[in-house]
Amino acid sequence: MIMPTGEYDYLTTPKDGRRTAEAIRGAEFIEMKEIGHFPMSENYPRSAQYLGQALERIEKRTGS
């Protein structure tokens, strides 16, 4: 499980995301810099980079 959270997300803060990821075995936290709660509508190009990063991590884990 990948837990991406925006740096400027005040609803679900990076601290919350990190704490949640630490509580779930095998979860990883990604803090999305310069993004808030609605990454796709706030900054699509930047959020697409983070999505790609998350997919790469999943691919490494699953081998597919």
Side-chain angles (χ1 to χ4, degrees), residues 28-41:
E28 292 183 53
F29 173 74
I30 297 175
E31 183 173 342
M32 300 184 291
K33 299 293 184 185
E34 300 179 21
I35 294 180
H37 190 71
F38 298 102
M40 299 298 276
S41 59

Side-chain angles (χ1 to χ4, degrees), residues 5-16:
T5 303
E7 176 183 24
Y8 304 129
D9 188 340
Y10 300 111
L11 184 61
T12 307
T13 67
K15 183 179 176 181
D16 294 332

Side-chain angles (χ1 to χ4, degrees), residues 10-61:
Y10 300 111
L11 184 61
T12 307
T13 67
K15 183 179 176 181
D16 294 332
R18 185 175 287 110
R19 184 176 52 235
T20 301
E22 289 171 355
I24 299 171
R25 185 175 20 137
E28 292 183 53
F29 173 74
I30 297 175
E31 183 173 342
M32 300 184 291
K33 299 293 184 185
E34 300 179 21
I35 294 180
H37 190 71
F38 298 102
M40 299 298 276
S41 59
E42 291 174 25
N43 189 333
Y44 177 78
R46 184 173 293 280
S47 64
Q49 291 174 344
Y50 286 109
L51 176 59
Q53 182 182 8
L55 292 174
E56 287 175 11
R57 289 183 184 189
I58 292 168
E59 184 177 33
K60 284 181 185 178
R61 285 183 177 191

